Amino acid sequence: MSHPAVTIRGLHKSFGAVEVLRGIDLDIPRAQVTCLIGPSGSGKSTLLRCMAFLEETSSGSILIDDAPLGFRTHADGSRTRLPAADIRTARRKIGMVFQQFNLWPHMTALGNVSEALKTVQKLGRREAEDRAMVQLKKVGLAERADHFPSQLSGGQQQRVAIARALALEPEIMLFDEPTSSLDPELTGEVLNVMRALADDGMTMVVVSHEIGFSASVGQKIAFLDQGQLLLTGTPTEVFGKPRHPRLDQFLETYLDRGAAMLL
Amino acid sequence: MRFDPALIIHHLPSILSGLSITILTWLIGTIGAVLVGFVIASARRFGPRPLGMALGAIVEVIRGTPFLIQLFLLYFGGPYIGLFLDPLPAGLLGLTVYGSAYFSEIFRGGFEAVPVGHIEAAECVGLNRLQIVKRILLPEMSMLVLPSAVNMAILLIKETAVLSIITVPELTMIVSAIGSEYYAFVESLFLLALFYWALVELCGFLGRKAEAKLSHFRLSAS
């Protein structure tokens, strides 16, 4: 298989005295869905945020398509921070979807999706909005283009947020607990959009509590516990029996999120 | 003593000139205070720490002392440090400095109220720092601070009356002079109250208009 979309080596991250990630080595395969699962506080969200450079890593390296993200690592192991413009370039390949949607409340759905096309890619208004509409159609919200975030349901807001990330044609999509702040009956519409994206061959990294989704859509599962990667592999390898006792214990608490089918 | 409307009509030209000075000082002072306040808040948020602490201390001193005394110090104390100002410039400077301390606090709160995630989302789609401030932080902040900013602008209308003590020929000075001259204190004070009230209502009306226009932001989405 071609080399990984993201290569993570020896990644450490501390918040003050608390070490959240303790030496992570992980490859994110191209055109596949990688699911990061684990108990809260295991560091899975932090790991994802490091991949978007929303958190600065303490040591180790992240390569996006072989290009270093944020820091250049020298032969002796020391690191220099890359200039802000380089960081923006590396980030261009990445689309991020947040738990809290983080739509800008003063812009319509169309405004949210077309904003970066206008200000970053310097497209004309007409072209930016045409391209934004294509993405809104893709997530099934073309008819809500003129609505402000406050006029949309949580599920619709999250779909707009996905369209906003897709508009920049990223190579890798990161999802940070995309359904965790949604009512249960709204998670389906978001998961369906994500499924369609996976079917299109998008490289995706998903932090999720939806164990059922991870097991059925995920092609690679990474189980984190206390800042370390405890298990990685295909769903069959990770969820198959005999199962790691720590994972078993974790799944027990997620019966309502589709974990029951695995037990 | 009788209430005499003829007095008002007779002095209408000078009253109107006073009113225009009041509106002018208020507008310039408020715009100045908003701008300086924004610069202070931005410097405290994005600037180096020592600068932020120094500005914070200055803001505390300005908020901790009466405007009347600040104005006296500026106008009568200024010459001791080589600052010779005519009444009007001194009044404008005083009003701007006084208002900017309050506006800077309003903006500081506004900066803090914009969720970090909204900034992160902007970073993720590639906006640079300046674009984030212009396109995300400022518009979001302005809708959050609008009610308290309007409130502060209303307070500043009334503070312009204090400029009369350093002989700025604004509404309060003109009308009280007429009052003293004709011994018509009730008329003059009544008239003053009416004028200020009308100005405040006008400002409040514009503020409510702006808020209504922005109302869809405030049905805050979670």
Side-chain angles (χ1 to χ4, degrees), chain B residues 1-2 7 176-188:
Chain B
M1 196 167 15
R2 276 199 359 261
L7 206 59
S176 4
I178 296 167
S180 315
E181 196 181 330
Y182 295 91
Y183 236 65
F185 296 111
V186 180
E187 285 92 338
S188 65

Side-chain angles (χ1 to χ4, degrees), chain A residues 26 77 87 91 131 141 221 223 254:
Chain A
L26 180 66
I87 292 170
R91 263 181 169 164
R131 292 205 359 209
L141 286 172
I221 306 290
F223 177 62
Y254 278 95

Side-chain angles (χ1 to χ4, degrees), chain A residues 49 104 106 115 119 148 150, chain B residues 118 120 135 216-217 219:
Chain A
R49 288 171 57 83
W104 303 305
H106 57 294
E115 176 61 26
T119 49
F148 283 90
S150 56
Chain B
H118 294 189
E120 290 183 344
R135 303 286 306 162
H216 51 264
F217 301 150
L219 298 164

Side-chain angles (χ1 to χ4, degrees), chain A residues 6 34 47 109 118 129 143 186 194 200 206 212 222 225 229 236 246:
Chain A
V6 184
T34 304
L47 177 57
K118 289 184 284 200
E129 293 189 346
E143 77 286 2
L186 297 179
M194 289 169 65
D200 281 353
V206 183
D225 192 30
L229 264 182
T236 333
R246 190 69 191 88

